[in-house]
Amino acid sequence: MKKMSKNPFLIEVERKFGKDSFEYSAFMRGSKKFKITKEEIDDRYNLTLKEFAYYAQVSGFKVLSDVDSLIIFKE
């Protein structure tokens, strides 16, 4: 696995929702889900789905996966 300076999952959440938005706080509280595709992960971070899912799980989120996407949420 490639060494990153910051968790790529958290970088992607901030990129998608913005740092100070209502959607960002809703996602971090657990009332919103986040979907990302294999192509987006590969293009932006050069990681596999499994590696990106690991970063999400380390951050305390649950991950559902299929062949080409991840759905990430907090319970």
Side-chain angles (χ1 to χ4, degrees):
M1 198 179 307
K2 189 170 141 185
K3 183 171 172 134
M4 300 256 171
S5 60
K6 187 175 178 185
N7 184 332
F9 167 71
L10 296 177
I11 293 170
E12 183 63 21
V13 169
E14 289 174 11
R15 187 199 69 76
K16 182 164 181 128
F17 298 124
K19 185 76 172 162
D20 299 321
S21 71
F22 173 75
E23 288 183 332
Y24 177 80
S25 61
F27 176 72
M28 294 309 244
R29 280 192 321 266
S31 57
K32 188 167 183 71
K33 293 182 175 133
F34 172 54
K35 182 176 181 180
I36 188 163
T37 64
K38 181 179 184 178
E39 290 79 25
E40 290 174 315
I41 295 168
D42 190 42
D43 290 347
R44 291 188 188 116
Y45 305 105
N46 197 24
L47 296 171
T48 65
L49 282 175
K50 190 174 183 177
E51 291 169 337
F52 195 82
Y54 167 79
Y55 284 113
Q57 290 170 339
V58 166
S59 299
F61 289 83
K62 304 283 183 192
V63 178
L64 297 174
S65 66
D66 64 8
V67 177
D68 12 304
S69 66
L70 298 173
I71 296 175
I72 303 166
F73 60 96
K74 193 173 225 175
E75 284 187 323

Coordinates of all heavy atoms in Angstrom, one line a residue:
M1 N 0.8 -1.2 0.0 CA 0.0 0.0 0.0 C 0.9 1.2 0.0 O 1.9 1.3 0.7 CB -0.9 0.0 1.2 CG -2.1 0.9 1.1 SD -3.2 0.9 2.5 CE -3.6 -0.8 2.8
K2 N 0.5 2.2 -0.8 CA 1.3 3.5 -0.9 C 1.1 4.3 0.3 O 0.0 4.5 0.8 CB 0.7 4.2 -2.1 CG 1.5 5.4 -2.6 CD 1.0 5.8 -3.9 CE 0.9 7.3 -4.0 NZ 0.3 7.8 -5.2
K3 N 2.2 4.9 0.8 CA 2.2 5.7 2.0 C 1.6 7.1 1.7 O 2.1 7.7 0.7 CB 3.6 5.8 2.6 CG 3.5 6.6 3.9 CD 4.8 6.5 4.6 CE 4.8 7.5 5.8 NZ 5.2 7.1 7.0
M4 N 0.6 7.5 2.4 CA 0.0 8.8 2.2 C 0.3 9.7 3.4 O 0.4 9.2 4.5 CB -1.5 8.7 2.0 CG -1.9 7.8 0.9 SD -2.5 8.9 -0.4 CE -2.7 7.7 -1.7
S5 N 0.3 11.0 3.2 CA 0.5 12.0 4.3 C -0.7 12.1 5.1 O -0.7 12.4 6.3 CB 1.1 13.3 3.8 OG 0.1 13.9 2.9
K6 N -1.9 12.0 4.4 CA -3.2 12.2 5.1 C -4.1 11.1 4.6 O -4.0 10.7 3.5 CB -3.8 13.6 4.8 CG -5.0 13.9 5.6 CD -5.5 15.3 5.4 CE -6.8 15.5 6.2 NZ -7.3 16.8 6.0
N7 N -5.0 10.7 5.4 CA -6.0 9.7 5.1 C -6.7 10.1 3.8 O -7.4 11.1 3.8 CB -6.9 9.5 6.2 CG -7.9 8.4 6.1 OD1 -8.3 8.0 5.0 ND2 -8.4 7.8 7.2
P8 N -6.6 9.3 2.7 CA -7.3 9.7 1.4 C -8.8 9.7 1.6 O -9.5 10.5 0.9 CB -6.8 8.7 0.4 CG -6.2 7.6 1.2 CD -5.8 8.1 2.5
F9 N -9.4 8.9 2.5 CA -10.8 8.9 2.7 C -11.2 10.3 3.2 O -12.2 10.8 2.7 CB -11.2 7.8 3.6 CG -12.6 7.9 4.2 CD1 -13.7 7.7 3.3 CD2 -12.8 8.3 5.5 CE1 -15.0 7.8 3.8 CE2 -14.1 8.4 5.9 CZ -15.2 8.2 5.1
L10 N -10.5 10.8 4.2 CA -10.9 12.1 4.8 C -10.7 13.2 3.8 O -11.5 14.2 3.7 CB -10.1 12.3 6.0 CG -10.4 11.4 7.2 CD1 -9.5 11.7 8.4 CD2 -11.8 11.4 7.6
I11 N -9.7 13.1 2.9 CA -9.5 14.1 1.8 C -10.6 14.1 0.9 O -11.2 15.1 0.5 CB -8.2 13.8 1.1 CG1 -6.9 14.0 2.0 CG2 -8.0 14.7 -0.2 CD1 -5.6 13.5 1.4
E12 N -11.1 12.9 0.5 CA -12.2 12.8 -0.4 C -13.5 13.3 0.2 O -14.3 14.0 -0.5 CB -12.4 11.3 -0.9 CG -13.5 11.1 -1.9 CD -13.2 11.8 -3.2 OE1 -12.1 12.2 -3.5 OE2 -14.2 12.1 -3.9
V13 N -13.8 13.0 1.5 CA -15.0 13.5 2.2 C -15.0 15.1 2.2 O -16.0 15.7 1.9 CB -15.1 13.0 3.6 CG1 -16.2 13.7 4.4 CG2 -15.4 11.5 3.5
E14 N -13.8 15.7 2.5 CA -13.7 17.1 2.5 C -13.9 17.7 1.1 O -14.5 18.7 0.9 CB -12.4 17.5 3.1 CG -12.2 17.3 4.6 CD -10.8 17.6 5.1 OE1 -10.0 18.2 4.4 OE2 -10.6 17.2 6.2
R15 N -13.4 17.0 0.1 CA -13.5 17.4 -1.3 C -15.0 17.4 -1.7 O -15.4 18.3 -2.4 CB -12.6 16.6 -2.2 CG -12.6 17.1 -3.7 CD -12.1 16.0 -4.6 NE -13.1 15.0 -4.8 CZ -14.3 15.1 -5.5 NH1 -14.6 16.2 -6.1 NH2 -15.1 14.0 -5.6
K16 N -15.6 16.3 -1.4 CA -17.0 16.1 -1.8 C -18.0 17.0 -1.1 O -18.9 17.6 -1.7 CB -17.4 14.7 -1.7 CG -18.8 14.4 -2.2 CD -19.1 13.0 -2.4 CE -20.5 12.8 -2.9 NZ -20.6 12.0 -4.0
F17 N -17.9 17.1 0.2 CA -18.9 17.9 1.0 C -18.4 19.3 1.4 O -19.2 20.1 1.8 CB -19.2 17.1 2.3 CG -19.9 15.8 2.0 CD1 -19.3 14.6 2.5 CD2 -21.0 15.7 1.2 CE1 -19.9 13.4 2.3 CE2 -21.6 14.4 1.0 CZ -21.0 13.3 1.5
G18 N -17.1 19.6 1.3 CA -16.6 20.8 1.9 C -16.4 20.7 3.4 O -17.1 19.9 4.0
K19 N -15.5 21.4 3.9 CA -15.1 21.3 5.3 C -16.2 21.8 6.3 O -16.4 21.3 7.4 CB -13.8 22.0 5.6 CG -13.2 21.8 6.9 CD -12.6 20.4 7.1 CE -11.9 20.4 8.4 NZ -11.7 19.1 8.9
D20 N -16.9 22.9 5.9 CA -17.8 23.5 6.8 C -19.3 23.4 6.4 O -20.1 24.2 6.9 CB -17.4 25.0 7.0 CG -16.0 25.2 7.5 OD1 -15.6 24.4 8.4 OD2 -15.3 26.1 7.1
S21 N -19.6 22.5 5.6 CA -21.0 22.5 5.1 C -21.9 21.6 6.0 O -21.4 20.8 6.8 CB -21.0 21.9 3.7 OG -20.7 20.5 3.7
F22 N -23.2 21.8 5.8 CA -24.2 21.0 6.5 C -24.1 19.5 6.1 O -24.2 18.6 7.0 CB -25.6 21.5 6.2 CG -26.7 20.7 6.8 CD1 -26.9 20.7 8.2 CD2 -27.4 19.8 6.0 CE1 -27.9 19.9 8.7 CE2 -28.4 19.0 6.5 CZ -28.7 19.0 7.9
E23 N -23.8 19.3 4.8 CA -23.7 17.9 4.4 C -22.5 17.2 5.0 O -22.6 16.0 5.3 CB -23.5 17.8 2.8 CG -24.8 18.2 2.1 CD -24.6 18.0 0.6 OE1 -23.5 18.2 0.1 OE2 -25.6 17.7 -0.1
Y24 N -21.4 17.9 5.2 CA -20.2 17.3 5.8 C -20.5 16.9 7.3 O -20.2 15.8 7.7 CB -19.1 18.3 5.8 CG -17.8 17.9 6.5 CD1 -17.0 17.0 5.9 CD2 -17.5 18.3 7.8 CE1 -15.8 16.6 6.5 CE2 -16.4 17.9 8.5 CZ -15.5 17.0 7.8 OH -14.4 16.6 8.4
S25 N -21.2 17.8 8.0 CA -21.5 17.5 9.4 C -22.6 16.4 9.5 O -22.5 15.5 10.4 CB -22.0 18.7 10.2 OG -23.1 19.3 9.6
A26 N -23.5 16.3 8.5 CA -24.5 15.2 8.5 C -23.8 13.9 8.2 O -24.2 12.9 8.8 CB -25.5 15.5 7.4
F27 N -22.9 13.9 7.3 CA -22.1 12.6 7.0 C -21.3 12.2 8.3 O -21.3 11.0 8.6 CB -21.2 12.8 5.8 CG -20.4 11.6 5.5 CD1 -21.0 10.5 5.0 CD2 -19.0 11.6 5.8 CE1 -20.2 9.3 4.7 CE2 -18.3 10.5 5.6 CZ -18.8 9.3 5.0
M28 N -20.7 13.1 8.9 CA -19.8 12.7 10.1 C -20.7 12.3 11.3 O -20.3 11.5 12.1 CB -18.9 13.9 10.5 CG -17.9 14.2 9.4 SD -17.0 12.8 8.9 CE -15.3 13.2 9.5
R29 N -21.9 12.8 11.4 CA -22.9 12.3 12.4 C -23.5 11.0 12.1 O -23.9 10.3 13.0 CB -24.0 13.4 12.6 CG -23.6 14.6 13.4 CD -24.8 15.4 13.8 NE -25.9 15.4 12.7 CZ -26.0 16.4 11.8 NH1 -25.1 17.4 11.9 NH2 -26.9 16.4 10.9
G30 N -23.6 10.7 10.8 CA -24.1 9.4 10.4 C -25.5 9.4 9.8 O -26.1 8.4 9.5
S31 N -26.0 10.6 9.4 CA -27.3 10.7 8.8 C -27.2 10.8 7.3 O -28.2 10.9 6.6 CB -28.1 11.9 9.4 OG -27.4 13.1 9.2
K32 N -26.0 10.7 6.7 CA -25.9 10.8 5.3 C -24.9 9.7 4.8 O -23.9 9.4 5.5 CB -25.3 12.1 4.9 CG -25.3 12.4 3.4 CD -25.1 13.9 3.2 CE -25.1 14.2 1.7 NZ -26.4 14.1 1.1
K33 N -25.1 9.1 3.7 CA -24.3 8.1 3.1 C -23.4 8.7 2.0 O -23.8 9.7 1.4 CB -25.1 6.9 2.6 CG -25.7 6.1 3.7 CD -26.5 5.0 3.2 CE -27.0 4.2 4.3 NZ -28.4 3.9 4.3
F34 N -22.3 8.0 1.7 CA -21.4 8.5 0.7 C -21.0 7.3 -0.3 O -20.7 6.2 0.2 CB -20.1 8.9 1.4 CG -18.9 9.3 0.6 CD1 -19.0 10.2 -0.4 CD2 -17.7 8.8 0.9 CE1 -17.9 10.6 -1.1 CE2 -16.6 9.1 0.2 CZ -16.7 10.0 -0.8
K35 N -21.2 7.6 -1.6 CA -20.9 6.5 -2.6 C -19.7 7.0 -3.4 O -19.7 8.2 -3.9 CB -22.1 6.2 -3.4 CG -21.8 5.1 -4.4 CD -23.0 4.8 -5.2 CE -22.7 3.7 -6.2 NZ -23.9 3.3 -7.0
I36 N -18.8 6.1 -3.7 CA -17.6 6.5 -4.6 C -17.3 5.2 -5.4 O -17.5 4.1 -5.0 CB -16.4 6.9 -3.7 CG1 -15.3 7.4 -4.6 CG2 -15.9 5.8 -2.8 CD1 -14.2 8.2 -3.9
T37 N -17.0 5.5 -6.7 CA -16.7 4.4 -7.6 C -15.2 4.1 -7.7 O -14.4 4.9 -7.3 CB -17.2 4.8 -9.0 OG1 -16.4 5.9 -9.5 CG2 -18.7 5.2 -9.1
K38 N -15.0 2.9 -8.3 CA -13.6 2.4 -8.4 C -12.8 3.4 -9.3 O -11.6 3.6 -9.0 CB -13.7 1.0 -9.1 CG -12.4 0.4 -9.3 CD -12.7 -1.0 -9.9 CE -11.4 -1.8 -10.1 NZ -11.6 -3.1 -10.6
E39 N -13.4 3.9 -10.3 CA -12.7 4.8 -11.2 C -12.3 6.1 -10.5 O -11.2 6.6 -10.7 CB -13.5 5.2 -12.5 CG -13.8 4.0 -13.4 CD -14.8 3.0 -13.0 OE1 -15.7 3.4 -12.2 OE2 -14.7 1.8 -13.3
E40 N -13.2 6.6 -9.7 CA -12.8 7.9 -9.0 C -11.7 7.6 -8.0 O -10.8 8.5 -7.9 CB -14.0 8.3 -8.2 CG -15.2 8.9 -9.0 CD -16.4 9.2 -8.2 OE1 -16.8 8.4 -7.3 OE2 -17.0 10.3 -8.4
I41 N -11.7 6.5 -7.3 CA -10.6 6.2 -6.4 C -9.3 6.0 -7.1 O -8.2 6.5 -6.7 CB -10.9 4.9 -5.6 CG1 -12.2 5.2 -4.7 CG2 -9.8 4.5 -4.7 CD1 -12.7 3.9 -4.0
D42 N -9.3 5.3 -8.2 CA -8.1 5.0 -9.0 C -7.5 6.3 -9.6 O -6.3 6.5 -9.5 CB -8.4 4.0 -10.0 CG -7.1 3.5 -10.7 OD1 -6.1 3.2 -10.0 OD2 -7.1 3.3 -11.9
D43 N -8.4 7.1 -10.2 CA -8.0 8.4 -10.8 C -7.3 9.3 -9.8 O -6.3 9.9 -10.1 CB -9.1 9.1 -11.5 CG -9.6 8.3 -12.8 OD1 -8.8 7.4 -13.2 OD2 -10.7 8.7 -13.3
R44 N -8.0 9.5 -8.7 CA -7.5 10.5 -7.7 C -6.4 10.1 -6.8 O -5.6 10.9 -6.4 CB -8.7 11.0 -6.9 CG -9.7 11.8 -7.6 CD -10.8 12.4 -6.8 NE -11.8 13.0 -7.6 CZ -13.1 12.6 -7.7 NH1 -13.5 11.6 -6.9 NH2 -13.9 13.1 -8.5
Y45 N -6.5 8.8 -6.3 CA -5.6 8.4 -5.3 C -4.7 7.2 -5.7 O -3.8 6.8 -4.9 CB -6.4 8.0 -4.0 CG -7.2 9.2 -3.6 CD1 -8.6 9.2 -3.8 CD2 -6.6 10.3 -3.0 CE1 -9.4 10.2 -3.4 CE2 -7.4 11.4 -2.7 CZ -8.8 11.4 -2.9 OH -9.6 12.4 -2.5
N46 N -4.9 6.6 -6.8 CA -4.2 5.4 -7.3 C -4.2 4.3 -6.2 O -3.2 3.7 -5.9 CB -2.7 5.8 -7.6 CG -2.0 4.8 -8.4 OD1 -2.7 4.0 -9.1 ND2 -0.7 4.8 -8.4
L47 N -5.4 4.1 -5.7 CA -5.7 3.0 -4.7 C -6.7 2.0 -5.2 O -7.5 2.4 -6.1 CB -6.2 3.6 -3.4 CG -5.2 4.5 -2.6 CD1 -6.0 5.2 -1.5 CD2 -4.0 3.8 -2.1
T48 N -6.7 0.8 -4.7 CA -7.8 -0.1 -5.0 C -9.0 0.2 -4.1 O -8.9 0.9 -3.1 CB -7.3 -1.6 -4.7 OG1 -7.1 -1.7 -3.3 CG2 -6.1 -1.9 -5.6
L49 N -10.1 -0.5 -4.4 CA -11.3 -0.3 -3.5 C -11.0 -0.8 -2.1 O -11.4 -0.2 -1.1 CB -12.5 -1.1 -4.1 CG -13.2 -0.5 -5.3 CD1 -14.3 -1.5 -5.8 CD2 -13.9 0.8 -4.9
K50 N -10.3 -1.9 -2.0 CA -10.0 -2.5 -0.7 C -9.1 -1.6 0.1 O -9.4 -1.5 1.3 CB -9.3 -3.9 -0.9 CG -9.2 -4.7 0.3 CD -8.6 -6.1 0.0 CE -8.5 -6.9 1.2 NZ -8.1 -8.3 0.9
E51 N -8.2 -1.0 -0.5 CA -7.3 0.0 0.3 C -8.1 1.2 0.7 O -7.9 1.6 1.9 CB -6.1 0.4 -0.6 CG -5.1 -0.7 -0.9 CD -4.1 -0.4 -2.0 OE1 -4.4 0.5 -2.8 OE2 -3.1 -1.0 -2.0
F52 N -8.9 1.7 -0.1 CA -9.7 2.9 0.2 C -10.7 2.5 1.3 O -10.9 3.3 2.3 CB -10.5 3.4 -1.0 CG -11.0 4.8 -0.8 CD1 -10.2 5.9 -0.9 CD2 -12.4 5.0 -0.5 CE1 -10.8 7.2 -0.7 CE2 -12.9 6.3 -0.3 CZ -12.1 7.4 -0.4
A53 N -11.3 1.3 1.2 CA -12.2 0.9 2.3 C -11.5 0.7 3.6 O -12.1 1.0 4.7 CB -12.8 -0.5 1.9
Y54 N -10.3 0.3 3.6 CA -9.5 0.2 4.8 C -9.4 1.6 5.5 O -9.5 1.7 6.7 CB -8.1 -0.3 4.5 CG -7.1 -0.2 5.6 CD1 -7.1 -1.1 6.7 CD2 -6.2 0.8 5.6 CE1 -6.2 -0.9 7.8 CE2 -5.3 1.0 6.7 CZ -5.3 0.1 7.8 OH -4.4 0.3 8.8
Y55 N -9.0 2.6 4.7 CA -8.9 4.0 5.3 C -10.3 4.4 5.9 O -10.3 5.1 6.9 CB -8.4 5.0 4.2 CG -7.0 4.9 3.9 CD1 -6.5 4.4 2.7 CD2 -6.0 5.2 4.9 CE1 -5.2 4.3 2.4 CE2 -4.7 5.1 4.6 CZ -4.3 4.6 3.4 OH -2.9 4.5 3.1
A56 N -11.4 4.1 5.2 CA -12.7 4.5 5.8 C -13.0 3.8 7.1 O -13.5 4.4 8.0 CB -13.8 4.2 4.7
Q57 N -12.6 2.5 7.1 CA -12.8 1.7 8.4 C -12.0 2.2 9.5 O -12.4 2.2 10.7 CB -12.6 0.2 8.1 CG -13.7 -0.4 7.2 CD -13.3 -1.8 6.7 OE1 -12.2 -2.2 6.7 NE2 -14.3 -2.5 6.3
V58 N -10.7 2.6 9.2 CA -9.8 3.1 10.2 C -10.4 4.4 10.8 O -10.2 4.7 12.0 CB -8.4 3.3 9.6 CG1 -7.6 4.2 10.5 CG2 -7.7 2.0 9.4
S59 N -11.1 5.1 10.0 CA -11.7 6.4 10.4 C -13.0 6.2 11.2 O -13.7 7.1 11.6 CB -12.0 7.3 9.2 OG -10.8 7.6 8.6
G60 N -13.5 4.9 11.3 CA -14.7 4.6 12.1 C -16.0 4.5 11.3 O -17.0 4.6 11.9
F61 N -15.9 4.3 10.0 CA -17.1 4.1 9.2 C -17.3 2.7 8.8 O -16.3 1.9 8.7 CB -16.9 5.0 8.0 CG -17.0 6.5 8.3 CD1 -15.9 7.2 8.7 CD2 -18.2 7.2 8.2 CE1 -16.0 8.5 9.1 CE2 -18.3 8.5 8.5 CZ -17.2 9.2 8.9
K62 N -18.5 2.4 8.4 CA -18.8 1.0 7.9 C -18.8 1.2 6.4 O -19.1 2.2 5.8 CB -20.3 0.6 8.3 CG -20.5 0.6 9.8 CD -19.9 -0.6 10.4 CE -20.2 -0.6 11.9 NZ -19.5 -1.5 12.6
V63 N -18.4 0.0 5.7 CA -18.3 0.0 4.3 C -19.0 -1.1 3.7 O -18.8 -2.3 4.1 CB -16.8 0.0 3.9 CG1 -16.6 -0.1 2.4 CG2 -16.0 1.1 4.5
L64 N -19.8 -0.8 2.7 CA -20.5 -1.9 1.8 C -19.8 -1.8 0.5 O -19.7 -0.7 -0.1 CB -22.0 -1.6 1.7 CG -22.8 -1.7 3.0 CD1 -24.2 -1.3 2.7 CD2 -22.7 -3.1 3.6
S65 N -19.4 -2.9 -0.1 CA -18.8 -2.8 -1.4 C -19.3 -3.8 -2.4 O -19.9 -4.8 -2.0 CB -17.3 -3.1 -1.2 OG -17.1 -4.4 -0.8
D66 N -19.2 -3.5 -3.6 CA -19.5 -4.4 -4.7 C -18.3 -4.3 -5.7 O -17.2 -3.8 -5.3 CB -20.8 -4.1 -5.4 CG -20.9 -2.8 -6.1 OD1 -19.8 -2.1 -6.2 OD2 -22.0 -2.4 -6.6
V67 N -18.4 -4.8 -6.9 CA -17.3 -4.8 -7.8 C -16.7 -3.5 -8.2 O -15.5 -3.3 -8.3 CB -17.7 -5.6 -9.1 CG1 -16.5 -5.7 -10.1 CG2 -18.1 -7.0 -8.7
D68 N -17.6 -2.5 -8.4 CA -17.1 -1.2 -8.8 C -17.4 0.0 -7.9 O -17.2 1.1 -8.4 CB -17.6 -0.8 -10.2 CG -18.7 -1.7 -10.8 OD1 -18.4 -2.8 -10.8 OD2 -19.7 -1.1 -11.2
S69 N -17.9 -0.2 -6.7 CA -18.2 1.0 -5.9 C -18.2 0.7 -4.4 O -18.3 -0.5 -4.0 CB -19.5 1.7 -6.3 OG -20.5 0.8 -6.0
L70 N -18.1 1.7 -3.6 CA -18.2 1.6 -2.1 C -19.3 2.5 -1.7 O -19.5 3.6 -2.2 CB -16.9 2.0 -1.5 CG -15.7 1.2 -1.8 CD1 -14.5 1.9 -1.1 CD2 -15.8 -0.2 -1.3
I71 N -20.1 2.0 -0.7 CA -21.0 2.9 0.0 C -20.5 3.0 1.5 O -20.3 1.9 2.1 CB -22.4 2.4 0.0 CG1 -22.9 2.3 -1.5 CG2 -23.4 3.2 0.9 CD1 -24.3 1.7 -1.6
I72 N -20.3 4.2 1.9 CA -19.6 4.4 3.3 C -20.6 5.1 4.1 O -21.2 6.1 3.7 CB -18.3 5.1 3.1 CG1 -17.4 4.4 2.1 CG2 -17.7 5.4 4.4 CD1 -16.2 5.1 1.6
F73 N -20.8 4.7 5.4 CA -21.7 5.3 6.3 C -21.3 5.1 7.7 O -20.4 4.3 8.0 CB -23.1 4.8 6.1 CG -23.2 3.3 6.3 CD1 -23.7 2.8 7.5 CD2 -22.9 2.4 5.3 CE1 -23.8 1.4 7.7 CE2 -23.0 1.0 5.5 CZ -23.4 0.5 6.7
K74 N -21.9 5.8 8.6 CA -21.6 5.7 10.1 C -22.9 5.2 10.8 O -23.9 5.7 10.5 CB -21.1 7.0 10.6 CG -20.5 6.9 12.0 CD -19.9 8.2 12.3 CE -18.5 8.0 12.9 NZ -17.8 9.2 13.2
E75 N -22.7 4.3 11.7 CA -23.9 3.8 12.4 C -24.0 4.5 13.7 O -23.1 4.9 14.3 CB -23.8 2.3 12.7 CG -24.1 1.5 11.5 CD -24.2 0.0 11.8 OE1 -23.5 -0.5 12.6 OE2 -25.1 -0.6 11.2

